[in-house]
């Protein structure tokens, strides 16, 4: 960097009110800005809704509102906006330039347990290169959940082609290989992954599940530092792919070690319920 005094930036300008903004594009960009900076006194929804009052089919504002309600857990409302976005997106081109609304709709449908529909939208989003990493990963999760392990292995490999350092994908691939009985391949992948990131807790647990070596379990527990959130986060990754037994066994380690939180019990109960063990 050259040694120079840089000019002081212009002060931030307050956003105009939604009705004062001329275009739907600027309404979208203003709403997006407010979301990114979590503004305390402006509501981004007001800007998206004003844009849709002018053009109810607007792609980006429907997608933004769909995502907003997805994050709030209002899946029915999110689905409505995202379906409108997808309808606009596919109006002239069955293989659109941008796959994000398709992916987002798949995510909503997955949360609503409509896995076949969700899979179709995730897969369609992969037409667009930017969404192949996330799209194929989501497809692989559903394939594992539905017991289609060969499909899942193919999909997770496609995801890793787009993002070689996706450590969630590496963890999921290791679990898929273990379930397919390919323990040698799984071990090679795990060792390779831990060279990239020694704190890939999911791969550390898969290493133990592959070897049943107590030393591997102790190494994982040492790395995870008796921190309940580490156990809960990895359990949620298993849960998202329908690997409920693995989620429960990992959470029970936290419970046995007495460093659990109320959520540890909640996730454990949810995993048991999803696997049909309602009494437990």
């Amino acid at each position: 960097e050259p040694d120079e005094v840089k000019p002081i930036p212009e002060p931030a300008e307050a956003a105009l009110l939604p009705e004062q903004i001329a275009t739907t594009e600027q309404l979208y960009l203003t709403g997006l800005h407010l979301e990114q900076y979590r503004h305390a006194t402006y509501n981004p929804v007001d800007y998206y809704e004003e844009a849709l009052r002018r053009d109810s089919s607007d792609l980006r504002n429907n997608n933004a509102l769909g995502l907003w309600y997805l994050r709030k857990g209002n899946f029915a409302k999110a689905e409505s906006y995202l379906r409108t976005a997808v309808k606009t997106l596919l109006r002239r081109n069955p293989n659109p330039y941008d796959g994000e609304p398709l992916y987002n709709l798949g995510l909503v449908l997955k949360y609503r347990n409509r896995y076949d529909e969700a899979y179709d939208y995730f897969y369609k989003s992969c037409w667009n290169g930017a969404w192949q990493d996330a799209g194929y990963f989501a497809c692989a999760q559903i394939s594992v959940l539905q017991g289609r392990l060969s499909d899942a292995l193919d999909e997770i490999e496609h995801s890793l082609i787009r993002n070689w350092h996706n450590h969630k994908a590496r963890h999921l691939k290791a679990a898929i290989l273990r379930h397919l009985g390919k323990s040698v391949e799984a071990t090679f992948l795990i060792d390779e992954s831990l060279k990239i990131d020694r704190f890939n807790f999911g791969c550390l647990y898969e290493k133990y599940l592959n070897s049943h070596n107590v030393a591997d379990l102790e190494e994982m527990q040492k790395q995870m530092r008796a921190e309940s959130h580490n156990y809960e986060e990895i359990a949620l990754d298993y849960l998202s792919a329908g690997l409920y037994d693995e989620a429960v066994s990992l959470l029970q380690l936290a419970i046995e070690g007495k460093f659990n939180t109320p959520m540890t019990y909640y996730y454990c109960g949810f995993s048991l319920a999803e696997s049909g063990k309602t009494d437990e």
Side-chain angles (χ1 to χ4, degrees):
E1 285 281 342
D3 186 12
E4 61 178 333
V5 178
K6 296 183 178 180
I8 296 172
E10 291 294 318
E13 294 181 4
L16 296 173
L17 295 174
E19 59 270 20
Q20 296 173 321
I21 294 177
T23 65
T24 55
E25 179 177 56
Q26 281 303 316
L27 283 164
Y28 165 74
L29 293 172
T30 303
L32 192 64
H33 170 80
L34 295 172
E35 278 200 78
Q36 285 179 318
Y37 288 90
R38 299 183 181 184
H39 204 288
T41 57
Y42 287 81
N43 186 353
V45 172
D46 295 338
Y47 292 83
Y48 301 142
E49 288 182 341
E50 173 62 23
L52 294 180
R53 187 186 66 78
R54 301 180 195 180
D55 179 3
S56 61
S57 67
D58 184 273
L59 170 62
R60 290 191 295 177
N61 286 287
N62 272 297
N63 184 60
L65 262 182
L67 267 180
W68 174 270
Y69 286 112
L70 167 62
R71 295 187 185 110
K72 303 298 178 190
N74 190 336
F75 303 130
K77 206 163 186 178
E79 182 180 342
S80 175
Y81 284 111
L82 289 167
R83 284 200 180 277
T84 302
V86 167
K87 183 179 179 182
T88 300
L89 185 69
L90 301 181
R91 185 169 293 158
R92 295 191 182 278
N93 190 347
N95 299 311
Y97 177 78
D98 183 10
E100 184 190 350
L102 293 159
Y103 176 86
N104 291 339
L105 180 55
L107 202 55
V108 169
L109 293 168
K110 185 185 178 189
Y111 279 123
R112 305 193 80 183
N113 296 331
R114 287 151 60 184
Y115 297 117
D116 291 340
E117 287 181 82
Y119 182 92
D120 288 344
Y121 281 105
F122 284 139
Y123 204 89
K124 189 65 175 175
S125 74
C126 296
W127 176 267
N128 172 241
W131 286 91
Q132 286 178 359
D133 166 20
Y136 279 122
F137 178 73
C139 285
Q141 286 182 315
I142 292 176
S143 292
V144 173
L145 187 148
Q146 294 181 332
R148 296 181 288 103
L149 295 177
S150 295
D151 290 343
L153 183 59
D154 180 65
E155 289 149 4
I156 206 66
E157 285 175 348
H158 276 79
S159 176
L160 285 166
I161 287 169
R162 295 299 303 186
N163 182 358
W164 190 240
H165 285 193
N166 181 342
H167 293 289
K168 284 178 179 281
R170 286 175 168 272
H171 172 208
L172 182 58
K173 184 177 178 181
I176 293 167
L177 290 169
R178 175 171 53 81
H179 277 274
L180 286 169
K182 299 181 178 183
S183 58
V184 175
E185 290 180 50
T187 300
F188 179 82
L189 172 69
I190 290 164
D191 291 342
E192 179 187 65
S193 300
L194 292 173
K195 284 179 183 177
I196 300 170
D197 178 7
R198 289 179 61 192
F199 296 97
N200 186 329
F201 299 138
C203 280
L204 284 169
Y205 193 51
E206 280 297 318
K207 186 174 184 178
Y208 164 67
L209 292 177
N210 251 323
S211 68
H212 299 290
N213 187 330
V214 176
D216 290 333
L217 179 61
E218 290 173 347
E219 175 63 20
M220 181 203 78
Q221 290 177 308
K222 177 184 174 184
Q223 297 253 37
M224 291 173 79
R225 312 184 315 282
E227 171 55 67
S228 61
H229 300 299
N230 288 332
Y231 288 79
E232 290 162 3
E233 288 292 332
I234 302 306
L236 283 172
D237 289 341
Y238 280 123
L239 202 155
S240 295
L243 296 172
Y244 305 120
D245 291 343
E246 288 90 334
V248 170
S249 66
L250 185 59
L251 292 167
Q252 284 178 337
L253 289 173
I255 293 168
E256 289 165 8
K258 301 187 185 305
F259 49 82
N260 52 277
T261 71
M263 292 307 295
T264 317
Y265 286 106
Y266 179 86
Y267 293 137
C268 198
F270 185 83
S271 299
L272 288 163
E274 288 294 295
S275 58
K277 299 173 183 175
T278 50
D279 289 343
E280 290 180 64

